[in-house]
């Protein structure tokens, strides 16, 4: 399945993260990629190897307050639940040129 085919199954308001060769090449709303990004033309026919739904939990004002980046499963937050914000995005892994999986997996 290509990136363009996967994008056709999602909504423009979906937050996505595209990973290729172990690096993030796009993070944002699908509409920003497909409608306003010239990079999409270059990658839309790339093969999608894996799609994951990834929750991200963090303090609403983590940058402003100088707090840690989004939480990892083994970390305990230093703030209360009411200050938390959760986002859900789709991580889309594109197949690399040499056939190896992205993200360090083989």
């Amino acid at each position: 399945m290509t990136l363009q085919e996967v994008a056709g199954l999602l909504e423009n308001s979906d937050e996505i993260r595209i990973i290729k060769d172990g690096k993030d090449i796009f993070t944002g709303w699908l509409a920003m990629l497909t409608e306003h990004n010239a990079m999409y033309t270059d990658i839309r026919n790339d093969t999608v190897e894996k799609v994951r739904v990834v929750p991200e939990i963090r303090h609403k004002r983590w940058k402003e307050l100088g707090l840690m980046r989004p939480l990892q499963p083994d970390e305990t937050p230093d703030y209360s639940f009411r200050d938390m914000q959760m986002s859900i995005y789709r991580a889309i892994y594109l197949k690399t040129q040499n056939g190896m999986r992205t993200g360090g997996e083989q």
Side-chain angles (χ1 to χ4, degrees), residues 88-105:
I88 298 177
Y89 61 90
R90 277 112 182 116
I92 301 172
Y93 293 83
L94 299 179
K95 191 171 185 177
T96 61
Q97 298 296 342
N98 61 12
M100 292 181 63
R101 294 181 119 184
T102 56
E105 301 169 7

Side-chain angles (χ1 to χ4, degrees), residues 17-34:
R17 178 178 159 213
I18 299 175
I19 300 108
K20 185 171 184 176
D21 296 325
K23 298 176 183 157
D24 289 1
I25 60 171
F26 177 83
T27 302
W29 288 283
L30 177 63
M32 291 175 62
L33 174 70
T34 58

Side-chain angles (χ1 to χ4, degrees), residues 42-60:
D42 296 334
I43 64 172
R44 68 180 174 200
N45 293 317
D46 285 7
T47 301
V48 173
E49 187 161 73
K50 177 172 57 171
V51 177
R52 294 186 56 223
V53 175
V54 180
E56 180 179 272
I57 301 171
R58 63 180 174 209
H59 191 282
K60 294 175 188 173

